[in-house]
Amino acid sequence: IAQDKSGLDVTNDSLLRIAHEYYSQHPDDSLYARSQYYIGKYLYLIEQTDSAYSCLLKAKNTSEEVRDYYTAYLATDRMRRIAEVSDTALCLALSKEAYQLYIKHGAINPINEVYLLRGIGDCYHRCDKSDSAIHYYNRALDKAMLSSDSVVIASVYQNMSRHYCYNGQYEIALKYAHQAFDCAGYIDESLALLMAECYLENSEYDKAQHYLNALSSSNSKESKLVRLGLQHRLSIKIGDADAAQKYYDSSIDVAADMYLSTLKEKLDIS
C-alpha cells in the first residue's frame, strides 16, 4: 500500500502472495478486498489480465458490500483499463461505474474527477458517439478549469483535439491542439503527431513537416510508426514518390520489429 501510494508499481509478488494467501482464508477480514485489489493490480502489470480481472472483481464486490467505495472505485477503474483493450461497451459501463463509486467515496479530488470524466468521453469516442463524447469532455474541461492545473487542462484539450481530428473536423482540432500547447507550454510527441496530422489534412504541408521534424529519433516504436505513416502520406500529397516509398518501407520494418518484439515477450525468448 505504501509503495502504491508513492506511485511505485510493485514488480515483485513475494509480500503480496503472503497477504493474498492469508486473506483468501479470511474473507470476512476488513483487508480482504484490499488484498484482492493489490494482487489484481500486480497481475495486471505483468499482463495476466484474466487472473487480474477475477481478483479485481472480488475486490469490487466485497468492498461494495461493506460500503468501502474507495476500494470499489480503485478495483473498477483497474477493470476498466483491462476492458478497454477488447470490449469498448464493457469499458464504458465500468468507466461510468468507477465515476459513480468515486463520487460515493466522498473525498473528491478534482483532478481525479477530470480523468474519470475524460475516460468516459474516450469510451464514447471509441463507440463513435460524438455528442456524448463531447458532453463528457466538456464536463471534464469544466472540472479541469476549477483545478487550475495547466497540465490537466491541456490533457483534456488534447483529447478533444484528437476526437475532432478523428471525425475530420481539422480546423476545430487544430484550435484545441493549440490550446493544449498554450496550457502545457510544451509539445510532447503525441501532441506533435496530432498537430502534424491536422495540418496534413488541412493541406498545410510545411507546417505538418515542421511538427514531424520536431520529433526526436528516441521516440517509442509506436510513435515512430505513426510518424512514418504521416511522412508517407505527406510525401504522396506533395508528389515525392521516392520519399513515399522510403517511408513506406521504413514503416513496414518498424511494424515487423514491433511484432517480433511482442512475440518474443509472449514466448519469453531473450
Side-chain angles (χ1 to χ4, degrees):
I1 291 173
Q3 282 183 282
D4 189 63
K5 287 186 178 296
S6 299
L8 301 174
D9 288 333
V10 177
T11 56
N12 185 298
D13 69 341
S14 57
L15 290 176
L16 281 173
R17 289 289 176 186
I18 297 171
H20 182 250
E21 289 173 8
Y22 174 82
Y23 287 111
S24 292
Q25 303 300 316
H26 299 81
D28 295 328
D29 193 287
S30 61
L31 286 176
Y32 170 80
R34 195 60 71 92
S35 72
Q36 291 290 340
Y37 166 71
Y38 280 110
I39 197 71
K41 181 178 180 181
Y42 166 75
L43 291 169
Y44 165 79
L45 290 171
I46 62 171
E47 298 184 357
Q48 294 186 21
T49 52
D50 289 343
S51 298
Y53 196 93
S54 177
C55 292
L56 292 167
L57 184 59
K58 291 176 185 176
K60 174 184 178 299
N61 291 340
T62 305
S63 54
E64 275 193 284
E65 288 174 5
V66 296
R67 299 185 180 183
D68 176 6
Y69 297 122
Y70 185 66
T71 301
Y73 145 69
L74 289 174
T76 306
D77 188 57
R78 189 66 54 173
M79 290 163 65
R80 169 192 68 81
R81 300 187 198 187
I82 295 173
E84 72 181 354
V85 176
S86 59
D87 192 332
T88 302
L90 177 58
C91 180
L92 175 58
L94 290 170
S95 296
K96 286 186 170 183
E97 192 170 1
Y99 178 67
Q100 293 302 322
L101 288 166
Y102 187 74
I103 298 301
K104 280 186 178 181
H105 161 56
I108 298 172
N109 181 322
I111 294 175
N112 287 342
E113 195 174 357
V114 169
Y115 287 129
L116 286 165
L117 289 167
R118 192 190 68 179
I120 297 173
D122 289 343
C123 288
Y124 276 119
H125 165 73
R126 290 193 292 273
C127 290
D128 289 324
K129 295 183 178 179
S130 183
D131 290 344
S132 296
I134 292 301
H135 168 74
Y136 278 97
Y137 286 145
N138 281 325
R139 286 184 62 183
L141 185 59
D142 288 342
K143 297 291 183 181
M145 292 297 187
L146 292 175
S147 75
S148 300
D149 188 313
S150 59
V151 174
V152 175
I153 297 169
S155 74
V156 181
Y157 277 137
Q158 188 165 334
N159 281 51
M160 295 176 79
S161 175
R162 186 173 293 109
H163 174 77
Y164 282 113
C165 181
Y166 175 81
N167 285 287
Q169 297 172 274
Y170 302 113
E171 289 188 8
I172 301 176
L174 277 170
K175 181 188 78 171
Y176 283 116
H178 281 289
Q179 286 180 309
F181 169 69
D182 291 341
C183 285
Y186 64 90
I187 295 182
D188 61 17
E189 65 179 36
S190 62
L191 184 55
L193 288 168
L194 180 59
M195 286 182 138
E197 182 172 7
C198 288
Y199 278 121
L200 172 61
E201 297 296 343
N202 240 19
S203 300
E204 297 184 67
Y205 303 136
D206 289 343
K207 290 182 179 179
Q209 188 63 64
H210 168 77
Y211 284 103
L212 289 171
N213 290 341
L215 293 161
S216 68
S217 58
S218 62
N219 297 132
S220 66
K221 291 178 181 178
E222 291 81 3
S223 295
K224 187 175 182 180
L225 185 61
V226 175
R227 177 172 62 81
L228 289 169
L230 289 172
Q231 288 280 187
H232 170 69
R233 287 163 55 194
L234 177 58
S235 298
I236 292 175
K237 293 278 190 181
I238 63 177
D240 190 340
D242 290 339
Q245 186 63 53
K246 181 189 73 173
Y247 288 123
Y248 177 78
D249 291 342
S250 296
S251 67
I252 293 297
D253 290 341
V254 173
D257 183 48
M258 289 172 63
Y259 172 77
L260 289 173
S261 296
T262 302
L263 186 62
K264 285 180 180 179
E265 288 175 6
K266 287 187 176 181
L267 296 175
D268 196 26
I269 299 174
S270 60

